[in-house]
Amino acid sequence: MEFFSGITTNRWIEIIGTVLAITYVILIARGKRAGWWFGIFSSLLSIWLFIRVNLLAESFLYLYYVVVGFYGYYSWTKEAGADARKTITTRPASFHIVGVALCSALSVGLAQILDFLGSAIIYADAATTVFSFFATWMVAKRILENWIYWIVIDLFSVWLYNERGLPVYAGLMALYTILATAGFFLWLKEYRKSPAQSNTAE
C-alpha cells in the first residue's frame, strides 16, 4: 500500500492512459472498431494530464483525438459494417508532399500562438500536434501510410515527453513506435490481398 500511496496523480493518469492507449493501438492495427473506444477514454485522461504539465497544444490534440475517435468508430461501422473491415487505401507521393508541407507551415504558425500562451517547447509541441492531426485522420480513413507518420511522430515524442517529466508516456511512445511498425506490416498484408479495391482513392 505504501508503494501505491507514493504514486503521484500525474503518474496514475499516465499509467491508466498508457494501458488504454496500448489497447487502442493493438485493436486498431488488427482492424477492430472497438479500439476507438479505448482511444477515446485514453485521450480524455491525456487532456487532463497535459493541461497539468503545461503542454497546451498536446491537450488540444487529445481533444481532437476524442472527436476523431467518435468519427473513426462511426466511419468504420458505416462503411464496413459491424463484422467487416473498411478497405485500406494508399495515396500517391504528391499527396504526402503537400500534406507534409502544409503541416510544417501550420506547425510554425501554431508555435507562435503557443509562445503567446506561454506553453513549453513550442515548436516541438506544435509539430507533434499538427502532424498527429493529419495522421489520425489517415487512420480513420484507413490510409496505409498513416503508420509511417506515426513511427516518426512517436520517436520524436519520446524526447518531448521526457523533457516534460513524463517518463511513462515517453515509454509509451517508444512502445508505440514498435506497434506502429507492426501495424504498418499488418495493414500492408491486408492491402495486398485486395489491390484493385485498395488503389481507389476516397
Side-chain angles (χ1 to χ4, degrees), residues 31-47:
K32 304 295 185 180
R33 65 192 176 109
W36 289 107
W37 289 111
F38 288 89
I40 289 169
F41 289 119
S42 174
S43 297
L44 287 171
L45 285 174
S46 296
I47 292 170

Side-chain angles (χ1 to χ4, degrees), residues 10 21 26 50 56 62 69 91 99 102-103 117 147 154 163 176 180:
N10 282 5
I26 292 173
F50 288 125
L56 302 182
Y62 279 79
R91 293 294 187 272
L102 182 59
C103 286
L117 294 174
W147 295 109
D154 294 339
E163 284 292 305
Y176 266 8

